[in-house]
Amino acid sequence: MINIVLGVLGVLTLWFAVVFIADFIKHKDNLETHNTWSKVLFIGFITDFFDTLGIGSFAPTTALLKGMKQTQDRLLPGTLNASHTIPVVLEAFIFITVINMDPTTLVSMLAAATIGAYFGAGIVSKLPEKKVQTVMAIALFITALLMMAGQLNLMPGGGDATGLSGAKLIIAVVGNFILGALMTAGIGLYAPCMALVYLLGMSPKVAFPIMMGSCAFLMPVASVKFVKEEALDRRASMGITIGGTIGVFIAAYLVKSLPMDILKWLVIAVIFYTASTMLKSASKNK
């Protein structure tokens, strides 16, 4: 069943890649002028490097794009999803093949997140800039609070289960459907998905294939919709994709240890600051 899952993921990713690259080539002479290749490549490398280590990429990417003034707020959700699709798929392939868990639980949660993203992207891609700014600010505050709860050991520590059944499986499926829909609005899935896994008594290690697999399945579907709605920054998305792919390989195969607690606290502080500036922008946007 795992091989089937990876095969389907490969097909979805190829579909997204064809749509994404064809759209980029079509508009190559009319790319955004407010960003630079060097900056978006750097953003992709840094954010997906740490994403592979479990920090998450959406909130740090938002902070860097805002701080370096590399994209418009209205295009942030689509840019976040499209730019991290291929790097996250690589992460999913790595963790799904390395960590063993119940295939039924994994497939059910991945399918739920994908369906949720399909419906969520259709709504988010049509939102006006002020609403996007407000939603993104709230999303960043939630992400920072969940990360802080994890750092302070306020979230459950999980159990030792590698699969679910009955009512717990239903809760997991419904929860991941909601998280998949919210992710298209820029709410990172990692922290809330990890909390869901822990609350249901599953082993912390299986959070990685679930988190990264969920994102890997939902992101091609959501991103194709964002591309077709032209609700993304093309140069930023392509640059982050290229830089992020390199970051994933280095983090997965070369990095052995980093001061993760210090890095997570730094990320939390940056996310709170970015959320505040996003909310301020929304209040000024008429």
Side-chain angles (χ1 to χ4, degrees):
M1 187 180 288
I2 295 299
N3 288 333
I4 295 173
V5 168
L6 294 176
V8 173
L9 178 56
V11 171
L12 284 174
T13 307
L14 180 61
W15 171 49
F16 161 73
V18 169
V19 173
F20 181 50
I21 294 171
D23 178 76
F24 184 84
I25 292 172
K26 180 181 177 181
H27 296 89
K28 68 181 186 300
D29 296 324
N30 190 32
L31 295 176
E32 294 78 11
T33 57
H34 51 260
N35 50 31
T36 61
W37 283 112
S38 59
K39 289 181 179 179
V40 292
L41 284 164
F42 169 77
I43 291 171
F45 176 84
I46 291 295
T47 54
D48 281 307
F49 176 91
F50 289 115
D51 190 62
T52 310
L53 302 178
I55 286 182
S57 60
F58 271 27
T61 303
T62 302
L64 289 171
L65 286 172
K66 284 281 290 179
M68 295 182 180
K69 298 179 180 179
Q70 292 298 292
T71 192
Q72 300 173 39
D73 290 347
R74 183 184 67 83
L75 301 176
L76 271 171
T79 302
L80 290 172
N81 280 274
S83 63
H84 289 295
T85 294
I86 291 176
V88 168
V89 168
L90 292 174
E91 294 172 25
F93 267 91
I94 292 167
F95 285 101
I96 289 175
T97 53
V98 169
I99 298 174
N100 294 319
M101 68 169 295
D102 173 48
T104 302
T105 303
L106 179 63
V107 172
S108 300
M109 293 185 74
L110 300 189
T114 305
I115 296 168
Y118 178 80
F119 289 105
I123 297 171
V124 174
S125 63
K126 295 181 175 66
L127 289 177
E129 185 174 60
K130 183 170 183 174
K131 288 188 178 179
V132 170
Q133 289 170 328
T134 304
V135 170
M136 288 291 296
I138 294 170
L140 289 168
F141 277 122
I142 293 172
T143 300
L145 290 171
L146 284 171
M147 289 182 70
M148 185 182 291
Q151 287 294 93
L152 297 174
N153 297 316
L154 298 177
M155 290 199 304
D160 55 9
T162 58
L164 299 170
S165 60
K168 284 189 174 181
L169 180 58
I170 294 173
I171 293 171
V173 169
V174 173
N176 235 32
F177 174 88
I178 295 169
L179 294 181
L182 292 175
M183 187 170 168
T184 60
I187 300 178
L189 183 137
Y190 282 14
C193 184
M194 190 175 287
L196 177 64
V197 167
Y198 289 0
L199 284 168
L200 293 172
M202 298 184 75
S203 169
K205 68 179 182 181
V206 304
F208 281 85
I210 292 173
M211 291 186 308
M212 293 171 178
S214 296
C215 294
F217 267 89
L218 71 86
M219 288 171 79
V221 176
S223 298
V224 166
K225 210 166 184 65
F226 281 119
V227 171
K228 291 183 176 179
E229 295 286 346
E230 299 191 352
L232 79 165
D233 187 309
R234 294 183 178 90
R235 189 198 299 269
S237 297
M238 184 61 73
I240 293 171
T241 296
I242 296 169
T245 301
I246 298 170
V248 169
F249 278 114
I250 292 177
Y253 296 112
L254 298 181
V255 176
K256 302 301 179 184
S257 63
L258 283 172
M260 295 304 294
D261 280 342
I262 296 174
L263 289 170
K264 285 183 179 179
W265 280 115
L266 178 61
V267 169
I268 289 169
V270 172
I271 293 171
F272 271 124
Y273 172 76
T274 307
S276 300
T277 59
M278 188 76 75
L279 205 56
K280 186 178 180 180
S281 297
S283 66
K284 293 180 178 179
N285 194 336
K286 303 302 180 183

